[in-house]
Amino acid sequence: MTVAQISPEPGDVRANARSAAALMIETADAGAKLLVFPQLSLVSYDLALFTDPSAWVTEDDPRLDVVRQASAECGVTAVVGAAYRGPDNTAWIASLAIRPNGEIQVYGKQNLHGVERDLFQPGDKIQILDIDGWRVALAICYDAAVPGHAAEAAGLGAEVYAVSALYTQEEVRRIDVHSAARAMDHRMYAVVANLAGRGPGWESCGGSGTWHPDGTRLSQAGTDPGVFTMALSRSELQALRDKDALAGNPRTALVADIWT
């Protein structure tokens, strides 16, 4: 799985979509099938931007055509972060999973934080992507701080918990504890794409990476922008789930029953 730790151009959806497409092509050459971007990667995290209608995107937004084209050409699913207006005028902080077949799966952040609640509505359901045989659940930032969110994802058969985030310099410990706990508690990989740089009232701690289903951190970015890839082992995941099931763990036993 691959995560992009980037510092977007504030409010410039078109420029950030072009940058996302370029990174998709770059990572496809390295064999990536999924590229996860941070929270609000198409605009950066500045809630004051959303008084401007151009900071919002829709599912058929032509500014995303460059990402759609890159996905179709290189076979990479991109999960980009946006302020999203749905057909029914729903306002979400969203992850848009843009697939090689042209499909877009939209996930709305379910656990809004602070003044986000004044601008956005909570999403209505967890999205599970099938990526090269892996079942990947999408999460956005504060979702990962709510244990029940990952528990629901695990109950839906998730093997990877993919978080698009903003963790700040004060939250170095938080990014590690959240991700390790979600991975270990539910025996799934956790991957986090954190914003880089800074914005109004925040400076990122970086630290994007991957956590093993036993809770061990497998990779850790610094604070600079970059793209980071980690291979996942299905046999190691299954061995831990089998061990838990033998120990009588009802949670992993339930997940195994659903998908076998």
Side-chain angles (χ1 to χ4, degrees):
M1 296 289 166
T2 305
V3 297
Q5 183 170 284
I6 62 167
S7 182
E9 292 294 325
D12 195 336
V13 172
R14 193 177 305 276
N16 293 319
R18 287 197 299 264
S19 296
L23 286 177
M24 291 166 68
I25 294 168
E26 176 185 323
T27 57
D29 291 341
K33 296 298 183 183
L34 175 68
L35 178 56
V36 181
F37 288 87
Q39 177 176 217
L40 293 174
S41 65
L42 291 175
V43 284
S44 194
Y45 193 90
D46 179 356
L47 299 185
L49 292 170
F50 302 121
T51 58
D52 182 349
S54 71
W56 296 76
V57 303
T58 59
E59 192 166 332
D60 58 356
D61 196 311
R63 294 172 295 179
L64 300 182
D65 286 350
V66 65
V67 182
R68 294 187 186 94
Q69 182 177 351
S71 180
E73 290 179 356
C74 65
V76 173
T77 294
V79 176
V80 295
Y84 171 78
R85 288 280 186 197
D88 57 357
N89 209 37
T90 300
W92 284 349
I93 294 178
S95 286
L96 309 181
I98 300 175
R99 310 301 301 271
N101 65 1
E103 179 187 4
I104 294 184
Q105 291 176 249
V106 183
Y107 167 71
K109 183 177 184 177
Q110 292 185 303
N111 297 282
L112 299 172
H113 181 266
V115 295
E116 292 172 359
R117 300 186 189 97
D118 298 331
L119 297 170
F120 301 97
Q121 299 156 295
D124 55 359
K125 64 179 181 179
I126 288 175
Q127 281 282 5
I128 304 286
L129 311 179
D130 187 335
I131 304 293
D132 204 25
W134 289 90
R135 295 186 60 80
V136 180
L138 299 182
I140 301 175
C141 205
Y142 203 72
D143 287 336
V146 178
H149 187 271
E152 183 179 354
L156 293 170
E159 298 165 306
V160 180
Y161 191 59
V163 185
S164 300
L166 168 57
Y167 284 93
T168 67
Q169 289 231 327
E170 297 79 16
E171 297 175 320
V172 173
R173 178 66 172 153
R174 192 176 176 90
I175 187 174
D176 189 51
V177 169
H178 284 168
S179 306
R182 305 305 160 247
M184 182 170 56
D185 286 352
H186 304 294
R187 296 308 194 196
M188 53 188 177
Y189 286 93
V191 298
V192 177
N194 196 19
L195 282 166
R198 64 185 66 194
W202 60 266
E203 182 174 356
S204 171
C205 68
S208 298
T210 309
W211 286 257
H212 192 274
D214 67 6
T216 303
R217 195 192 243 277
L218 296 175
S219 63
Q220 181 169 1
T223 56
D224 293 335
V227 176
F228 308 93
T229 299
M230 189 73 203
L232 310 185
S233 169
R234 184 174 297 282
S235 63
E236 291 179 16
L237 171 67
Q238 193 58 52
L240 285 169
R241 290 187 167 189
D242 290 345
K243 180 179 178 180
D244 285 355
L246 286 172
N249 185 320
R251 179 180 58 249
T252 44
L254 173 62
V255 172
D257 287 346
I258 291 173
W259 296 108
T260 57

